[in-house]
Amino acid sequence: ERVKEKYPSMSLRRYTPRGLDARAAFVESHGEDLWRSNPDEYDHLVKVEPLQRALDELNPSAWITGRRGTQGSERAELPIFEVDHDDPTRVKINPLAHWSYDEVWEYIRKNDIPYNPLHDRGYKSIGDVQTTRPVARDADERSGRFLGLEGKTECGLHSRNRPKRKKKNKKDFKRTETV
């Protein structure tokens, strides 16, 4: 809501797991512990599929991420521009690829950018409620993520290791430029 207030002319859309608009409905359909018993399936249902559906429906020529190279080894060599894993005609833009954590927060404060209030409670990186915890000020920013999920460092949205999906026929969609 704060983003809508700050940027009233921006067209925002919210995507949830297919057919499930509330956490209770997701738990009823998939159980309370899917995140623990099958974290890859959980990530697919709550993150990957909704993003893929949004990209299919909106069909933008590019999409922007908030990833940074300092967020872990998988992101260390993150380019500013890359080809989308699922659609080689689409560009993925990582404008913060070479920014540090402190540079991001300096920009947020200087420009009065809305942010998640959990950051004020010690959450340096925010993921799922089940696996994210606040960390000490001097802790690595992603050290509070993926708790209880040994060896997991990515949710699947940007993973190059996930299988490529079959793309729907492009003629069914028109390119959309959304600001």
Side-chain angles (χ1 to χ4, degrees):
E1 293 306 311
R2 294 181 321 160
V3 173
K4 285 181 187 177
E5 289 172 20
K6 175 83 174 177
Y7 308 104
S9 63
M10 187 181 291
S11 174
L12 299 173
R13 293 177 180 89
R14 180 174 171 248
Y15 285 81
T16 60
R18 187 178 295 281
L20 306 169
D21 61 355
R23 181 169 167 26
F26 183 87
V27 168
E28 185 177 319
S29 180
H30 298 285
E32 182 72 43
D33 291 325
L34 182 62
W35 67 272
R36 186 186 339 241
S37 63
N38 191 341
D40 291 336
E41 177 66 9
Y42 173 84
D43 286 344
H44 179 79
L45 291 170
V46 303
K47 298 172 187 178
V48 176
E49 187 282 327
L51 173 65
Q52 289 174 338
R53 186 166 16 103
L55 292 172
D56 283 348
E57 289 175 13
L58 301 172
N59 199 29
S61 56
W63 62 290
I64 301 171
T65 81
R67 296 181 301 161
R68 292 181 293 101
T70 60
Q71 291 176 314
S73 61
E74 274 194 40
R75 299 178 179 193
E77 300 297 322
L78 187 64
I80 293 176
F81 296 98
E82 62 184 309
V83 174
D84 186 293
H85 175 78
D86 290 322
D87 182 349
T89 68
R90 180 178 292 134
V91 176
K92 191 188 297 190
I93 306 170
N94 307 299
L96 306 177
H98 303 138
W99 287 36
S100 70
Y101 177 84
D102 291 335
E103 288 170 321
V104 169
W105 279 99
E106 180 182 331
Y107 186 87
I108 288 170
R109 289 183 189 99
K110 181 179 177 184
N111 294 283
D112 193 30
I113 306 292
Y115 63 89
N116 190 318
L118 287 174
H119 287 290
D120 294 333
R121 295 179 32 205
Y123 290 79
K124 285 185 163 184
S125 180
I126 300 171
D128 295 298
V129 66
Q130 307 93 326
T131 61
T132 305
R133 300 292 178 269
V135 297
R137 282 192 190 276
D138 61 346
D140 176 84
E141 68 182 280
R142 293 196 34 109
S143 63
R145 295 285 302 278
F146 304 107
L147 300 175
L149 300 175
E150 189 67 33
K152 191 162 178 70
T153 62
E154 294 288 341
C155 67
L157 288 178
H158 307 289
S159 178
R160 294 185 177 132
N161 298 324
R162 69 179 164 82
K164 254 185 120 106
R165 69 186 179 102
K166 269 192 156 175
K167 185 74 176 137
K168 293 184 177 170
N169 189 336
K170 283 269 192 201
K171 70 179 184 178
D172 295 338
F173 300 100
K174 65 177 189 191
R175 280 271 182 228
T176 305
E177 304 303 324
T178 303
V179 177

